[in-house]
Amino acid sequence: MMSFLSLLLVGILFPATQAKQFTKCELSQVLKDMDGYGGITLPEWICTIFHSSGYDTETIINNNGKREYGLFQINNKLWCRDNRKLQSRNICDISCDKFLDDDLTDDVICAKKILDSEGIDYWLAHKPLCSEKLEQWRCEKL
């Protein structure tokens, strides 16, 4: 019983992954280097991410037999591997659960690969919601 309590305490004090619910300005600061990448402005990214995941790194959505992970909603059919889709192409060469933590380094690398390969239309929210009238997605603190 004592070892179970010790393990539980360690799990609470030192969780394996730290998820994060970003604010618009926090995310703008973290992603500022993506501004202009592939011709996509930072407000377009911020808007698209909001409509895809609500700025929550823990977001997982089941979508037509595939799962989409993290802020950028990267799917397990092509871009990452998980234990549900063993036939993933895993183009980003990463476990999907890496997109659920607060370290966005690997998320950004994979999102850039997706943008380079599929274009911004990979993110379905972009065209109808984030291609114009972007003033509300700017952060004045930058």
Side-chain angles (χ1 to χ4, degrees):
M1 181 68 170
M2 186 60 153
S3 62
F4 172 73
L5 289 175
S6 298
L7 187 59
L8 181 62
L9 186 58
V10 168
I12 291 170
L13 294 176
F14 304 103
T17 60
Q18 294 288 321
K20 178 143 177 81
Q21 175 76 46
F22 284 91
T23 67
K24 174 179 71 176
C25 290
E26 287 173 331
L27 194 56
S28 293
Q29 184 64 39
V30 172
L31 298 180
K32 66 184 175 193
D33 291 339
M34 286 190 75
D35 190 20
Y37 185 87
I40 307 303
T41 66
L42 186 56
E44 286 175 277
W45 280 117
I46 298 303
C47 174
T48 301
I49 292 168
F50 174 79
H51 290 293
S52 298
S53 63
Y55 305 145
D56 186 350
T57 64
E58 282 189 306
T59 302
I60 299 174
I61 295 176
N62 293 307
N63 185 3
N64 295 322
K66 62 185 180 238
R67 290 184 101 183
E68 299 171 340
Y69 291 83
L71 289 178
F72 290 97
Q73 289 297 279
I74 297 171
N75 79 56
N76 67 342
K77 181 178 180 187
L78 295 174
W79 303 102
C80 62
R81 73 178 176 288
D82 66 8
N83 60 358
R84 293 175 171 254
K85 192 74 140 173
L86 301 176
Q87 300 301 318
S88 172
R89 291 195 42 218
N90 194 14
I91 295 169
C92 290
D93 192 31
I94 192 166
S95 176
C96 298
D97 64 357
K98 294 298 237 174
F99 299 134
L100 302 177
D101 61 21
D102 63 349
D103 180 357
L104 301 185
T105 306
D106 42 22
D107 307 53
V108 168
I109 291 168
C110 190
K112 286 179 175 181
K113 283 184 182 181
I114 294 169
L115 185 66
D116 291 342
S117 175
E118 306 290 322
I120 195 65
D121 290 341
Y122 170 85
W123 292 278
L124 299 177
H126 179 267
K127 191 171 186 174
L129 301 170
C130 303
S131 57
E132 54 186 45
K133 298 182 183 174
L134 297 169
E135 295 80 25
Q136 68 179 328
W137 303 107
R138 297 183 195 285
C139 185
E140 300 305 320
K141 295 178 185 176
L142 291 179

